[in-house]
């Protein structure tokens, strides 16, 4: 339907772009499986935990697992477990357990020390084991995450995390849940949507529901990551342009705009890459261009726009083309206070001569007007326009030069005056 | 008595008086001092029936809005709840009653259900344990409310939705009941015409209800000669188009509710001499709009482009009248002038108000956005490019223009094309969902179900034939001195009104083929009148037709009917009734669904 679709498919399938995957399997099943894990972990927060184990799971503060208060209170007690633990276990306090054993003990509510897991590598290993154990025990992951979080706050190591998709998602989910229940609600909503996928929708409707679900999932991840980054204070763009609102629940195009604003130059494998979003949701080329244009113009990133519109043909020549009229492009640029040089460039690309002149005059793109009048070989218009440019400016000089230069062909009816003037 | 209701051919004050009488009777049943707790939704319609003064006459001392929690304290003997029969309101009432019990007050409780009692609601009150606390439980049957001398509305907002989306015919039942009440007061209507499924149902119910009253003949001389029942879905196009009459534009832009409009106050600020101009009013200016106001009655139905001339003409007349004071020399003449002063001052104030309103509207109608929108509407109405994606719509979506504006346009394209080509349909749907949010899929489904925005099933489009046969598009419509109903949309004659017009003359037999292309059956029924009541028509006397729009009617259509009424050779006068007064925006809104969304 969209004439560019074949291009998009080629792009999608070509080897030069890496498909983003969780593990190495890029299929619906593994994606849903991961989500299911994440959601199940969250679910444990909401539902009462059954005390089916003979070992009663208690938090560090002694309250039963599952109560929300225990989470917030426990943070302080992570590194001073000896004050809380039952006396009988004190001898187990400092021990040399493997990550696996450590996790196991934590899940049983027993005392552990995380001190030996110092490097990020170790911490991530712990997290991996926790996830693999996947019984959804929030407390385990919580402490690991607090540990990880304080580590990360001192160094921005998001890239490292990205390669561990699962851990990242757990991390984000758990961490931000503590800060904001709204996020949890969105997760639940997303889960509900996911279950809706099984209802008998028509193919088009089910595609829309699937898109809705995918979008929401993505928004949750982006929101959590960005909130963290903003808080950490190390990512420049968030300091310069603080986020005014959460992107949860925003429409797709709004989300795209947000990513074009904050995540434009990311590689295509990330959740927040605009190109990735474009392909995943099959956004039309026109919509994509309009959105990128608006976002980059707002940031005054003119070179990005240049790159966007420029395409190289197989001969290596570049030319500018656009799925939306350059008239519209100029409109959007002008709304974002683009400087005249930038406006001029795009006004010059408007096909229709009358429209071009009109725009050029409106936006004071003198060169274009002058050149157009020159091409039309119309002295009258040139003369008339001289009054509109600044006295002594380069434009005025240019007009004067043109007016003075001898011209072979004349169109105006006063040409014999000119000849009289010259000779 | 409400002055504006007696102007027309049919004195709707009778209806209003009947309603007032019933209200008085109920109030008197609850003897002693009273406080009324109002369901907010009802205050508007009730305001058209009775003012506070009437209530005061019957010992109503306080009035409150229905809210959960505790009732405000009131030193009265009775507390009466005026509510619609809705379950959620019953819960609130229960809360209120309990709160009073805690106070150990000796107040008597009563409920007045409007427009009908409901078993479900009374059951709910019983479950809550408060049913026995009520002394009087009554229903106040307020179906048709007179809005003007020729206009009745049920203000039943969900009628269209209930009928066409939810297959719920409750509104049709109320309509039939309302028509029975009308006939009780104004006589049996001998002829019933109709077009549409709902029209058929209403007619059937009316006939059945009449049979149930067999034996008691209605002896009132019939005021109405004909009843015409029209389904809204026979003409889905008209409400989508932007209305271009003065009143229509006021409704489109600001919204007229219960005969009132709220306007931005800046232009109405009184500039008094010596007063600081800093005190600009912040409250919106509320204007009452009905035919009691002479100037308004003159200009309301004009095409907006003709209003300016009318206002300036009026200004001259009023100025001249004021100048007359110089000619008043004798005491008698001065006295006469002074006695007319109030009327002249009212006229001047009316002129000032409407000049301001016209200015406000002009700001909108002269804007590029308005013009571009109208251009696209007219392209669709004349059948231009209805099979392609429209660039203006596409651009408007990407600029994130208000969603309802987009929906009106795409629905219009769909209706004028008898459904959109699959590719176009998919494209619009996707663009809308991606730009405004996936949650709107519910709304889009509703619009499809209602027939407003659907994919083309067969490539047969009957609209051009209908347009040609019924002359729906009149090039060169005369806006200043119209000679045809198409002036209300500057070229487009509302389909519903054309059908009404043709029914009167030459009759529907002449358009059988076209009628078959429109949804639903068309029919004619006759109701027996008692002997001796058949009207002997005088020479040149007009017939009266009640046109009932099932699912809503616009002010522009009302203007068109009034135009037909005053046309020289029409021989017909129209009274208009409807389930709801609508415009494109309120209509589409009633079909929108949003899942509970949390604000981020």
């Amino acid at each position: 339907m969209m004439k560019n679709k074949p291009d998009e498919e080629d792009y999608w399938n070509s080897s030069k772009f890496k498909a983003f995957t969780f593990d190495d399997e890029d299929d619906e099943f593994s994606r849903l499986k991961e989500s299911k894990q994440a959601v199940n972990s969250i679910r444990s927060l909401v539902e009462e935990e059954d005390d089916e184990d003979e070992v009663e799971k208690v938090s560090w503060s002694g309250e039963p697992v599952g109560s929300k208060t225990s989470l917030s209170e426990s943070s302080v007690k992570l590194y001073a477990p000896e004050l809380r633990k039952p006396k009988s276990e004190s001898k187990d306090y400092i021990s040399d357990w493997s990550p696996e054993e450590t996790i196991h003990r934590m899940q049983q509510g027993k005392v552990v020390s995380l001190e030996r897991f110092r490097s990020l590598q170790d911490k991530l290993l712990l997290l991996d084991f926790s996830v693999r154990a996947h019984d959804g025990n929030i407390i385990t992951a919580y402490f690991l995450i607090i540990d990880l979080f304080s580590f990360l706050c001192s160094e921005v190591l998001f890239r490292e995390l990205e390669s561990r998709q699962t851990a990242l998602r757990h991390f984000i989910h758990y961490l931000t849940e503590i800060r904001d229940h709204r996020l949890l609600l969105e997760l639940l909503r997303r889960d509900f949507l996911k279950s809706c996928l099984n209802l008998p929708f028509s193919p088009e409707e089910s595609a829309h529901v699937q898109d809705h679900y995918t979008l929401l999932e993505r928004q949750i991840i982006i929101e959590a990551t960005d909130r963290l980054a903003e808080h950490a204070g190390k990512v420049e763009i968030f300091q310069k342009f603080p986020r005014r609102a959460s992107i949860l629940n925003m429409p797709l195009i709004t989300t795209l705009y947000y990513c074009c604003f904050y995540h434009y130059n990311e590689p295509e494998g990330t959740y927040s890459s605009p190109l990735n979003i474009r392909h995943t949701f099959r956004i039309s080329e026109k919509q994509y261009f309009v959105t990128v244009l608006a976002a980059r113009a707002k940031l005054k990133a003119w070179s990005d726009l240049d790159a966007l519109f420029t395409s190289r043909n197989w001969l290596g020549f570049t030319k500018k083309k656009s799925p939306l009229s350059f008239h519209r492009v100029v409109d959007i640029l002008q709304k974002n206070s683009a400087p005249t040089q930038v406006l001029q460039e795009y006004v010059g690309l408007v096909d229709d001569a009358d429209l071009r002149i009109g725009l050029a005059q409106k936006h004071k793109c003198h060169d274009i007007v002058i050149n157009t009048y020159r091409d039309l070989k119309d002295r009258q218009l040139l003369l008339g326009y001289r009054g509109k440019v600044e006295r002594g400016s380069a434009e005025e000089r240019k007009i004067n030069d043109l007016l003075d230069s001898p011209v072979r062909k004349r169109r105006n009816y006063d040409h014999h005056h000119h000849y009289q003037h010259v000779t | 008595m409400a002055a504006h209701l007696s102007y027309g051919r049919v004195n709707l004050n009778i209806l209003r008086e009947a309603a007032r009488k019933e209200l008085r009777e109920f109030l008197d049943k609850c003897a002693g001092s009273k406080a009324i707790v109002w369901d907010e939704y009802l205050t508007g319609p009730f305001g058209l029936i009775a003012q506070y003064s009437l209530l005061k006459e019957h010992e109503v001392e306080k009035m409150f809005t229905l809210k959960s929690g505790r009732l405000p304290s009131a030193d009265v003997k009775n507390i009466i709840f005026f509510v619609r029969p809705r379950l959620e309101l019953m819960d609130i009432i229960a809360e209120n009653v309990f709160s009073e019990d805690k106070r150990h007050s000796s107040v008597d409780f009563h409920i007045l259900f409007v427009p009908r009692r409901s078993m479900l609601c009374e059951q709910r009150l019983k479950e809550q344990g408060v049913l026995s606390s009520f002394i009087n439980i009554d229903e106040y049957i307020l179906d048709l409310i007179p809005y003007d001398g020729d206009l009745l509305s049920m203000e039943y907002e969900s009628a269209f939705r209930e009928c066409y989306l939810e297959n719920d015919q409750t509104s049709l039942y109320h309509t039939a009941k309302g028509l029975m009440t009308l006939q009780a007061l104004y006589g049996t209507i001998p002829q019933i015409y109709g077009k549409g499924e709902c029209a058929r149902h209403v007619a059937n119910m009316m006939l059945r209800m009449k049979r149930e009253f067999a034996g008691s003949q209605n002896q009132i001389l019939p005021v109405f000669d004909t009843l015409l029942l029209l389904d809204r879905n026979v003409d889905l196009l008209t409400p989508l188009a932007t209305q271009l009459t003065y009143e229509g534009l006021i409704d489109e832009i600001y919204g007229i509710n219960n005969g009132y409009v709220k306007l931005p106050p800046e232009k109405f600020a009184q500039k008094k001499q010596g007063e600081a101009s800093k005190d600009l009013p912040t409250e919106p200016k509320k204007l009452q709009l009905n035919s009691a106001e002479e100037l308004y009655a003159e200009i309301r139905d004009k095409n907006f482009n003709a209003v300016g001339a009318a206002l300036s003409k009026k200004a001259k007349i009023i100025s001249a009248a004021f100048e007359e004071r110089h000619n008043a020399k004798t005491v008698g003449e001065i006295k006469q002038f002074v006695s007319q002063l109030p009327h002249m001052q009212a006229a001047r104030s009316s002129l000032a108000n409407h000049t301001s309103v016209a200015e406000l509207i002009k700001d909108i109608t002269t804007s590029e956005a308005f013009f571009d929108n109208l251009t696209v509407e007219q392209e669709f109405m004349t059948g231009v490019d209805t099979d392609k994606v429209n660039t203006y719509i596409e651009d408007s979506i990407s600029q994130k223009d208000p969603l309802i504006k987009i929906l009106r346009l795409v629905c219009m394209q769909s209706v004028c094309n008898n459904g959109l080509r699959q590719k176009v349909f998919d494209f619009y749907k996707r663009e809308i969902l991606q730009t405004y949010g996936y949650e709107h899929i519910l709304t889009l489904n509703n619009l499809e179900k209602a027939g407003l925005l659907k994919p083309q099933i067969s490539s047969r489009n009957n609209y051009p034939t209908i347009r040609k046969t019924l002359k729906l598009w009149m090039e060169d419509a005369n806006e200043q001195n119209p000679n045809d109903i198409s002036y209300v949309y500057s070229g487009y004659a509302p389909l519903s009104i054309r059908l009404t017009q043709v029914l009167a003359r030459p009759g529907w037999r002449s358009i059988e083929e076209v009628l078959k292309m429109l949804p639903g059956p068309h029919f004619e029924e006759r109701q027996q009148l008692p002997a001796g009541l058949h009207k002997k028509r005088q020479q040149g006397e007009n017939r009266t037709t009640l046109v009932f729009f099932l699912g809503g009617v616009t002010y522009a259509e009302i203007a068109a009917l009034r135009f037909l009424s005053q046309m020289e050779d029409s021989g017909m006068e129209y009274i208009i009734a409807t389930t709801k007064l609508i415009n494109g925006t309120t209509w589409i809104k009633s079909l929108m669904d949003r899942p509970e969304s949390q604000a981020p």
Side-chain angles (χ1 to χ4, degrees):
Chain A
M1 186 175 95
M2 290 288 108
K3 58 185 185 294
N4 292 296
K5 201 158 187 248
D7 295 339
E8 287 178 28
E9 306 230 71
D10 289 341
Y11 180 81
W12 185 249
N13 291 326
S14 73
S15 56
K16 68 175 156 74
F17 117 85
K18 249 184 328 184
F20 75 95
T21 57
F22 285 95
D23 307 316
D24 290 312
E25 311 155 52
D26 179 28
D27 65 301
E28 281 302 313
F29 181 67
S30 67
R31 276 168 67 177
L32 284 180
K33 202 166 64 150
E34 300 297 355
S35 334
K36 205 169 164 58
Q37 269 184 351
V39 170
N40 281 335
S41 318
I42 295 296
R43 209 177 256 137
S44 68
L45 277 171
V46 185
E47 293 165 4
E48 293 304 307
E49 289 229 329
D50 294 329
D51 276 336
E52 74 262 31
D53 285 7
E54 67 276 21
V55 176
E56 193 200 333
K57 291 178 187 152
V58 291
S59 74
W60 296 102
S61 62
E63 283 169 55
V65 155
S67 69
K68 287 204 164 80
T69 48
S70 66
L71 294 177
S72 44
E73 281 168 25
S74 307
S75 52
V76 180
K77 294 155 184 94
L78 177 63
Y79 294 108
E82 69 275 18
L83 298 175
R84 292 283 177 270
K85 64 167 173 42
K87 285 213 171 72
S88 56
E89 299 205 29
S90 54
K91 62 178 178 354
D92 291 330
Y93 169 52
I94 296 167
S95 192
D96 210 6
W97 286 303
S98 69
E100 210 163 14
E101 285 162 19
T102 308
I103 297 299
H104 191 61
R105 285 190 69 85
M106 284 176 83
Q107 283 169 345
Q108 290 178 316
K110 291 183 183 157
V111 165
V112 297
S113 164
L114 301 178
E115 284 180 315
R116 67 176 288 267
F117 303 102
R118 274 177 220 273
S119 69
L120 178 63
Q121 192 73 359
D122 290 336
K123 292 180 196 296
L124 289 174
L125 201 58
L126 261 185
L127 201 53
D128 279 351
F129 275 101
S130 153
V131 166
R132 254 182 258 160
H134 65 86
D135 68 341
N137 190 328
I138 174 70
I139 297 303
T140 315
Y142 171 82
F143 289 119
L144 296 177
I145 284 156
I146 288 295
D147 186 38
L148 196 50
F149 179 50
S150 39
F151 179 78
L152 284 172
C153 275
S154 57
E155 297 165 80
V156 180
L157 291 168
F158 294 124
R159 296 274 162 236
E160 179 73 21
L161 270 184
E162 255 176 30
S163 62
R164 286 166 157 77
Q165 300 284 0
T166 315
L168 173 68
R169 295 185 56 200
H170 279 289
F171 169 73
I172 290 161
H173 291 160
Y174 297 152
L175 184 69
T176 51
E177 188 283 332
I178 293 155
R179 286 150 168 265
D180 185 3
H181 289 275
R182 198 181 295 129
L183 203 49
L184 173 64
L185 278 165
E186 287 314 315
L187 282 169
L188 292 174
R189 192 155 96 95
R190 185 207 62 179
D191 187 38
F192 170 72
L193 258 181
K194 188 159 64 75
S195 61
C196 282
L197 284 171
N198 295 321
L199 294 172
F201 286 120
S202 71
E204 310 88 49
E205 279 172 347
S206 124
H208 290 309
V209 176
Q210 172 78 59
D211 279 351
H212 193 179
Y213 163 71
T214 311
L215 177 64
L216 199 51
E217 193 171 55
R218 202 175 270 240
Q219 285 174 336
I220 290 169
I221 293 173
I222 296 173
E223 176 67 22
T225 320
D226 284 0
R227 210 183 284 185
L228 206 55
E230 194 171 23
H231 185 83
K234 297 250 158 76
V235 180
E236 195 187 334
I237 189 153
F238 289 122
Q239 308 313 309
K240 262 203 181 136
F241 298 95
R243 298 172 342 123
R244 281 179 298 123
S246 139
I247 49 151
L248 296 175
N249 259 328
M250 292 282 133
L252 174 63
I253 299 299
T254 312
T255 311
L256 176 64
Y257 178 89
Y258 173 93
C259 292
C260 288
F261 196 89
Y262 289 111
H263 299 278
Y264 190 60
N265 290 308
E266 276 171 24
E268 291 143 35
T270 65
Y271 279 112
S272 41
S273 143
L275 272 172
N276 194 295
I277 292 178
R278 174 187 171 179
H279 288 123
T280 308
F281 296 97
R282 298 171 312 280
I283 298 178
S284 75
E285 200 191 17
K286 202 170 181 181
Q287 273 281 43
Y288 181 73
F289 267 68
V290 167
T291 313
V292 171
L293 184 58
R296 300 326 283 169
K298 186 116 194 201
L299 287 166
K300 306 205 188 309
W302 314 121
S303 54
D304 284 337
L305 294 183
D306 206 50
L308 179 72
F309 287 109
T310 307
S311 66
R312 225 174 203 92
N313 69 13
W314 63 279
L315 285 173
F317 292 125
T318 60
K319 103 183 193 111
K320 281 208 164 44
K321 59 182 195 119
S322 161
L324 63 155
S325 69
F326 281 109
H327 176 192
R328 278 266 334 269
V329 174
V330 170
D331 214 25
I332 297 175
L333 287 173
Q334 187 256 334
K335 283 201 180 99
N336 284 288
S337 317
T340 314
Q341 309 95 280
V342 176
L343 281 174
Q344 185 141 267
E345 192 188 341
Y346 291 96
V347 170
L349 292 166
V350 173
D351 272 332
D352 183 273
D354 289 327
L355 192 54
R356 190 169 62 236
I357 294 205
L359 283 169
Q361 286 177 332
K362 184 170 161 196
H363 300 298
K364 303 215 182 332
C365 305
H366 302 308
D367 278 338
I368 295 186
V369 181
I370 296 170
N371 289 343
T372 314
Y373 289 159
R374 175 201 64 197
D375 293 340
L376 289 171
K377 299 189 181 18
D378 198 327
R379 273 186 67 80
Q380 292 280 56
L381 290 172
L382 272 174
L383 258 172
Y385 199 69
R386 190 169 58 184
K388 297 206 180 118
V389 302
E390 221 182 288
R391 291 204 61 177
S393 64
E395 287 84 13
E396 197 190 27
R397 283 197 293 282
K398 185 171 177 181
I399 295 180
N400 286 331
D401 286 342
L402 285 169
L403 287 171
D404 289 341
S405 68
V407 185
R408 282 109 228 145
K409 286 190 241 168
R410 287 269 111 211
R411 256 181 18 144
N412 292 133
Y413 43 78
D414 67 341
H415 79 271
H416 63 278
H417 288 163
H418 172 77
Y419 279 127
Q420 277 179 350
H421 170 81
V422 161
T423 52
Chain B
M1 201 182 78
H4 61 291
L5 296 182
S6 316
Y7 285 148
R9 187 179 179 71
V10 178
N11 186 0
L12 292 180
N13 256 309
I14 298 174
L15 182 63
R16 187 168 179 267
E17 277 309 313
R20 286 161 73 92
K21 179 159 165 268
E22 251 196 73
L23 182 60
R24 284 196 186 98
E25 281 170 4
F26 176 76
L27 289 172
D28 290 341
K29 238 166 124 175
C30 317
S33 60
K34 337 173 160 55
I36 301 183
V37 183
W38 286 95
D39 174 354
E40 242 181 341
Y41 187 82
L42 294 175
T43 50
F46 259 86
L48 293 162
I49 302 289
Q51 302 294 316
Y52 182 57
S53 48
L54 179 146
L55 302 172
K56 219 161 129 182
E57 277 170 28
H58 294 268
E59 298 177 278
V60 175
E61 286 173 21
K62 292 235 165 73
M63 302 214 286
F64 307 117
T65 314
L66 182 68
K67 264 196 280 261
S68 45
R70 223 153 51 122
L71 278 173
S73 61
D75 188 19
V76 287
K77 189 162 172 299
N78 300 284
I79 291 184
I80 314 179
F81 292 94
F82 278 30
V83 286
R84 289 166 294 159
R86 294 174 76 104
L87 289 174
E88 64 270 20
L89 300 180
M90 299 303 109
D91 293 338
I92 300 177
I93 291 177
E95 261 183 66
N96 286 175
V97 170
F98 281 131
S99 78
E100 273 304 297
D101 282 346
K102 287 210 184 90
R103 276 199 195 126
H104 307 292
S105 67
S106 56
V107 124
D108 286 338
F109 289 108
H110 316 271
I111 298 190
L112 189 64
F113 282 109
V114 186
R116 305 221 132 67
R117 285 173 85 140
S118 148
M119 284 289 290
L120 266 174
C121 285
E122 289 175 49
Q123 182 65 24
R124 178 63 144 240
L125 290 172
K126 191 164 173 197
E127 283 165 19
Q128 295 274 17
V130 294
L131 186 61
S132 48
S133 313
F134 292 98
I135 312 268
N136 289 316
I137 300 183
D138 262 341
E139 62 185 9
Y140 185 69
I141 299 171
L142 189 64
D143 283 320
L144 282 166
I145 304 164
Y147 272 72
D148 218 313
D150 58 356
L151 181 60
L152 297 153
S153 171
M154 293 169 66
E155 285 306 279
Y156 196 124
E157 195 169 335
S158 48
F160 182 83
R161 192 198 166 97
E162 280 176 23
C163 290
Y164 297 103
L165 281 188
E166 297 162 10
N167 260 319
D168 174 355
Q169 296 180 344
T170 311
S171 59
L172 301 180
Y173 172 75
H174 286 261
T175 303
K177 277 286 195 176
L179 283 164
M180 298 309 285
T181 307
L182 215 56
Q183 288 183 104
L185 293 170
Y186 297 95
T188 307
I189 306 174
Q191 236 178 4
I192 303 178
Y193 289 94
K195 173 72 182 154
E197 287 287 345
C198 299
R200 182 75 261 183
H201 285 302
V202 171
N204 289 346
M205 278 192 269
M206 280 175 73
L207 296 171
R208 196 176 62 235
M209 286 172 189
K210 185 121 203 313
R211 280 198 294 275
E212 284 164 15
F213 281 104
S216 61
Q217 294 270 31
N218 190 339
Q219 293 297 334
I220 300 177
L221 193 67
V223 170
F224 296 105
D225 297 288
T226 314
L227 167 65
L228 170 58
L229 296 159
L230 282 175
D231 276 32
R232 185 71 261 174
N233 80 338
V234 168
D235 174 10
L236 291 172
L237 175 57
T238 303
L240 295 170
T242 305
Q243 299 168 70
L244 297 175
T245 58
Y246 181 59
E247 186 165 46
L249 278 165
I250 295 177
D251 189 38
E252 292 265 350
I253 301 169
Y254 296 106
I256 301 177
N257 288 305
N258 297 306
Y260 283 89
V261 65
K262 284 198 183 133
L263 299 158
E266 300 82 44
K267 283 216 155 99
F268 298 92
Q270 297 275 46
K271 275 180 279 233
K272 295 209 179 96
Q273 298 283 41
E275 238 179 51
S277 58
K278 276 193 197 146
D279 316 329
L280 275 177
T282 47
E283 284 291 306
K285 171 90 177 170
K286 202 169 169 190
L287 275 184
Q288 191 176 25
L289 300 172
N290 61 42
S291 55
E293 189 182 350
E294 199 181 305
L295 174 62
Y296 189 66
E298 268 178 51
I299 59 175
R300 75 195 302 188
D301 298 320
K302 285 189 186 297
N303 184 297
F304 183 65
N305 286 336
V307 167
L311 287 175
S312 76
K313 197 165 121 190
K314 194 73 169 188
K316 290 198 180 81
I317 294 173
I318 292 176
S319 291
F322 272 97
E323 289 303 303
E324 275 298 299
R325 69 181 184 279
H326 298 307
N327 298 342
K329 300 275 169 21
T330 72
V331 170
E333 281 169 354
I334 293 174
K335 249 183 157 173
Q336 194 186 35
F337 180 82
V338 168
S339 72
Q340 283 178 348
L341 215 48
H343 172 80
M344 285 158 53
Q345 278 168 341
R348 187 165 64 179
S349 152
S350 167
L351 177 69
N353 279 338
H354 287 289
T355 306
S356 299
V357 175
E359 276 172 24
L360 285 169
I361 295 179
K362 204 170 173 73
D363 284 339
I364 309 262
T365 58
T366 47
S367 71
E368 208 178 306
F370 187 85
F371 178 78
D372 288 340
N373 199 72
L374 195 61
T375 307
V376 172
E377 283 184 14
Q378 295 195 335
E379 275 173 11
F380 290 157
M381 288 197 271
T382 48
V384 172
D385 286 344
T386 54
D387 57 344
K388 304 185 180 59
V389 167
N390 182 285
T391 319
Y392 177 74
I393 295 179
E394 196 185 349
D395 289 345
S396 300
I397 294 176
S398 74
Q399 273 158 210
K400 224 175 164 180
D401 280 353
L403 179 58
I404 291 198
K405 166 187 162 154
I406 306 295
L407 291 176
R408 278 175 82 162
L409 286 173
V410 298
C411 287
M412 199 185 242
Q413 185 176 352
S414 173
V415 168
C416 293
N417 202 52
N418 194 27
L420 295 172
R421 272 180 51 227
Q422 191 66 48
K423 274 189 176 177
V424 178
F425 179 73
D426 289 338
F427 178 80
Y428 282 148
K429 251 180 118 161
R430 218 184 57 188
E431 293 287 296
I432 289 172
L433 293 175
Q434 288 187 343
T435 309
Y436 297 96
Y438 289 104
E439 63 268 25
H440 293 289
I441 198 169
L442 296 168
T443 299
L444 294 179
N445 281 355
N446 289 348
L447 292 175
E448 188 175 342
K449 202 164 173 195
L452 283 162
L453 177 60
K454 58 182 191 185
Q456 221 174 17
I457 306 187
S458 74
S459 58
R460 193 198 169 87
N461 181 13
N462 286 323
Y463 177 67
T465 311
I466 298 171
R467 189 177 69 234
K468 285 196 195 86
T469 315
L470 295 177
K471 297 201 184 64
L472 297 184
W473 183 261
M474 304 288 278
E475 206 69 53
D476 307 321
N478 190 331
E479 291 166 349
Q480 306 291 332
N481 296 301
N483 55 6
D484 179 74
I485 55 171
S486 54
Y487 84 89
V488 297
Y489 288 99
S490 290
Y492 166 69
L495 169 58
S496 55
I497 311 304
R498 257 307 180 243
L499 291 175
T500 312
Q501 188 178 18
V502 172
L503 176 65
R505 203 195 344 235
W508 274 357
R509 249 184 263 272
S510 60
I511 51 165
E512 276 286 335
E513 285 306 308
V514 166
L515 277 176
K516 288 207 186 93
M517 293 177 192
L518 296 167
H522 62 277
F523 58 88
E524 180 186 339
E525 297 284 349
R526 285 187 190 272
Q527 299 197 96
Q528 281 285 9
L529 292 177
L533 280 186
H534 288 276
K535 255 173 133 165
K536 284 188 196 60
R537 192 151 293 107
Q538 307 285 15
Q539 185 73 316
E541 197 189 319
N542 285 341
R543 296 193 344 257
T544 308
T545 296
L546 174 64
V547 187
F548 207 119
F549 293 85
L550 303 164
V553 74
T554 60
Y555 287 100
E557 285 166 303
I558 295 170
L561 281 173
R562 286 183 180 142
F563 176 81
L564 289 177
S565 294
Q566 47 91 358
M567 256 170 78
E568 279 297 311
D569 52 350
S570 67
M572 188 68 79
E573 274 204 38
Y574 293 101
I575 305 290
I576 302 119
T578 182
T579 49
K580 177 89 176 73
L581 293 159
I582 61 171
N583 59 52
T585 300
T586 58
W587 191 44
I588 296 284
K589 253 201 197 141
S590 74
L591 296 169
M592 288 178 85
D593 263 339
R594 285 206 84 148
E596 290 305 299
S597 52
Q598 295 105 12

